[in-house]
């Protein structure tokens, strides 16, 4: 007798989802993602005391990675190469700080005198200011707001703030230096430990590729932008020196430091140089000369020098860059402004390896 054919189990077909069910399902997924993002932002804000110096150490460690690799090529152990890298970074910070702090201290002693000179320079604006003040009084009379306002200043507030802030900053500095050392010293072991988590060979290869791309992008960007900012500092210092601005090298160094915070730093520097121009030149129109010189040099750097040095490697959507800078400045202050672009590069490197079909704003690795 022929063998009886096996009966296949019946296929259960689910009824197709209606459009309303699809919308509700997609809405629930979006809501979960939104809640997760809010939770991440809350964690970053609440844990900024530990997370900010730790994140800064990772970014700086990625920048110092090529230096440590060069030292290890001379057969130095990772612990020694990490210590040398950290000491080199500390030396650079001390040199830059000495170049900036000492002149700033002398300028701070002249603040009362400079404030008097500034008031004389602004005397030409007295009539417009009086018009604005009269308009404000009229608005207060219409809205019924009180014309007088009492401000009580607690003299102990500044002292108490310094007493509370100093230990916090010292603790964060120690966390940063310790994290930087251990990150550089154990970067190979950390990568190997993370790669062992992935059992699948393809996933392990993908993770290794992400590590390599993150290191290349972040270290390449930070090293290149550091050299560019050094050149910018020299150019701005010489330009201000040629037009007779006092302490020109100080403002040049400050311009190079603030240029690490893209968009926001140059705007702050232009305002600072406008104040310096008010105090350095006799005419009100002459006050615009220092910021004009700085903005011209900064425009040359942004439009020609940086694209030539970095090339297409860091070509990103300017609006996306601005949002990243604004977000991290709001979240972690100056530290956030420094790590904003590296954090964006890390996110793009991870995202485009996990979702390669989407254009994330950076050219493929073969074109870089």
């Amino acid at each position: 007798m022929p063998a009886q054919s096996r009966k296949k189990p019946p296929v259960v077909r689910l009824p197709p989802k209606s459009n309303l069910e699809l919308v509700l399902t997609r809405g629930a997924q979006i809501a979960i993602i939104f809640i997760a993002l809010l939770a991440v932002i809350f964690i970053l804000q609440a844990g900024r005391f530990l997370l900010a110096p730790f994140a800064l150490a990772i970014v700086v460690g990625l920048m110092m990675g090529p230096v440590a690799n060069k030292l290890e090529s001379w057969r130095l152990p990772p612990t020694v190469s990490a210590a040398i890298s950290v000491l080199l970074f500390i030396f650079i910070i001390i040199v830059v700080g000495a170049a900036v702090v000492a002149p700033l201290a002398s300028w701070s002693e002249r603040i009362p005198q400079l404030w008097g000179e500034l008031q004389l320079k602004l005397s030409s604006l007295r009539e417009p200011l009086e018009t604005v003040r009269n308009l404000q009084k009229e608005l207060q009379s219409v809205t019924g707001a009180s014309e007088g306002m009492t401000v009580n200043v607690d003299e102990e507030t500044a002292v108490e703030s310094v007493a509370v802030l100093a230990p916090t900053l010292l603790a964060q500095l120690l966390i940063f230096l310790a994290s930087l050392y251990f990150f550089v010293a154990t970067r190979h072991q950390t990568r190997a430990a993370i790669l062992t988590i992935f059992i699948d060979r393809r996933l392990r290869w993908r993770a290794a590729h992400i590590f390599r791309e993150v290191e290349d992008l972040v270290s390449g960007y930070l090293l290149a932008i550091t050299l560019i900012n050094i050149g910018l500092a020299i150019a701005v210092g010489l330009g201000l020196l040629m037009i007779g601005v006092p302490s020109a090298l100080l403002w040049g160094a400050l311009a190079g430091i603030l240029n690490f915070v893209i968009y926001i730093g140059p705007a702050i520097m232009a305002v600072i140089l406008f104040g310096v121009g008010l105090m350095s030149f006799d005419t009100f129109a002459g006050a615009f000369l220092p910021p004009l010189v700085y903005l011209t040099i900064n425009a040359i750097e942004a439009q020609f020098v940086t694209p030539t040095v970095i090339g297409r490697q860091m070509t990103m959507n300017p609006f996306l860059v601005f949002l990243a800078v604004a977000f991290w400045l709001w979240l972690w202050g100056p530290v956030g402004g420094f790590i904003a672009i590296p954090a964006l590069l890390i996110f793009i490197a991870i995202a485009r390896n996990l979702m390669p079909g989407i254009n994330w704003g950076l050219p493929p690795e073969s074109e870089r």
Side-chain angles (χ1 to χ4, degrees):
M1 294 180 62
Q4 295 181 353
S5 60
R6 297 180 180 179
K7 293 183 179 180
K8 296 182 179 180
V11 178
V12 179
R13 298 183 180 275
L14 298 176
K17 291 185 178 180
S18 63
N19 292 333
L20 179 60
E21 291 177 335
L22 291 176
V23 170
L24 292 177
T25 302
R26 185 61 57 86
Q29 294 173 350
I30 294 175
I32 292 174
I33 295 174
F34 181 73
I35 294 173
L37 289 176
L38 290 180
V40 170
I41 293 174
F42 174 78
I43 292 172
L44 291 175
Q45 179 66 30
R48 61 183 300 176
F49 178 83
L50 290 176
L51 296 179
F54 183 69
L56 182 62
I58 293 177
V59 171
V60 176
L62 291 173
M63 181 179 66
M64 302 301 294
V67 178
N69 291 335
K70 184 64 176 178
L71 293 173
E72 291 171 9
S73 66
W74 298 340
R75 297 184 179 180
L76 291 176
T79 53
V80 177
S81 66
I84 296 176
S85 301
V86 173
L87 291 176
L88 178 62
F89 178 77
I90 294 174
F91 174 76
I92 294 173
I93 295 300
I94 291 175
V95 171
V96 174
V100 174
V101 172
L104 277 180
S106 63
W107 274 81
S108 63
E109 295 176 356
R110 297 168 52 195
I111 286 179
Q113 177 187 355
L114 296 176
W115 177 246
E117 296 178 1
L118 182 60
Q119 287 179 322
L120 293 176
K121 298 288 178 62
L122 294 177
S123 60
S124 59
L125 301 178
R126 183 172 301 171
E127 294 183 2
L129 291 176
E130 286 293 336
T131 304
V132 174
R133 189 177 295 110
N134 293 332
L135 180 61
Q136 181 182 7
K137 291 181 179 179
E138 292 179 3
L139 290 175
Q140 288 177 347
S141 62
V142 171
T143 57
S146 177
E147 296 184 1
M149 182 171 58
T150 304
V151 178
N152 296 323
V153 179
D154 189 0
E155 297 181 356
E156 297 182 357
T157 302
V159 178
E160 292 176 356
S161 300
V162 172
V164 173
L165 190 60
T168 302
L169 292 178
L170 181 59
Q172 288 185 317
L173 178 61
L174 293 177
I175 293 173
F176 164 72
L177 293 176
S179 301
L180 177 60
Y181 170 76
F182 287 114
F183 176 80
V184 177
T186 63
R187 65 192 188 281
H188 302 303
Q189 294 91 325
T190 303
R191 179 190 304 178
I194 294 177
L195 292 179
T196 55
I197 298 176
F198 301 96
I199 302 176
D200 185 74
R201 182 178 180 181
R202 184 176 180 83
L203 291 177
R204 191 182 302 114
W205 176 86
R206 180 68 65 182
H209 189 269
I210 291 175
F211 273 112
R212 184 172 63 253
E213 188 170 0
V214 166
E215 290 180 353
D216 292 342
L217 286 175
V218 175
S219 62
Y221 169 79
L222 289 177
L223 290 175
I225 207 67
T226 299
L227 295 177
I228 291 172
N229 289 343
I230 292 174
L232 177 71
I234 296 173
V236 172
L238 293 178
L240 296 178
L241 186 63
M242 291 176 62
I243 63 175
V245 175
S247 303
L249 298 181
L250 163 66
W251 309 122
L254 192 60
I257 295 173
L258 290 178
N259 204 52
F260 279 100
V261 183
I262 191 171
Y263 299 146
I264 309 297
I268 295 175
M269 192 65 210
V271 174
I272 292 175
L273 287 178
F274 178 71
V276 173
L278 284 174
M279 296 181 249
S280 304
F281 295 93
D282 297 332
T283 61
F284 186 77
F288 289 94
L289 189 57
L292 181 61
V293 170
Y294 164 71
L295 291 176
T296 302
I297 297 175
N298 183 263
I300 295 173
E301 172 266 322
Q303 299 299 324
F304 300 101
V305 178
T306 298
T308 302
V309 174
I310 297 180
R312 294 188 58 201
Q313 179 176 350
M314 303 303 169
T315 303
M316 290 179 290
N317 189 328
F319 181 66
L320 187 63
V321 172
F322 179 78
L323 286 181
V325 173
F327 171 77
W328 286 104
L329 276 174
W330 166 75
L331 196 65
W332 286 349
V335 174
F338 178 79
I339 71 170
I341 304 303
L344 182 60
L345 291 172
I346 293 173
F347 171 78
I348 292 177
I350 296 174
R352 74 176 183 179
N353 277 277
L354 297 179
M355 294 172 282
I358 301 177
N359 183 11
W360 295 97
L362 286 178
E365 188 177 4
S366 58
E367 299 181 10
R368 291 188 277 114

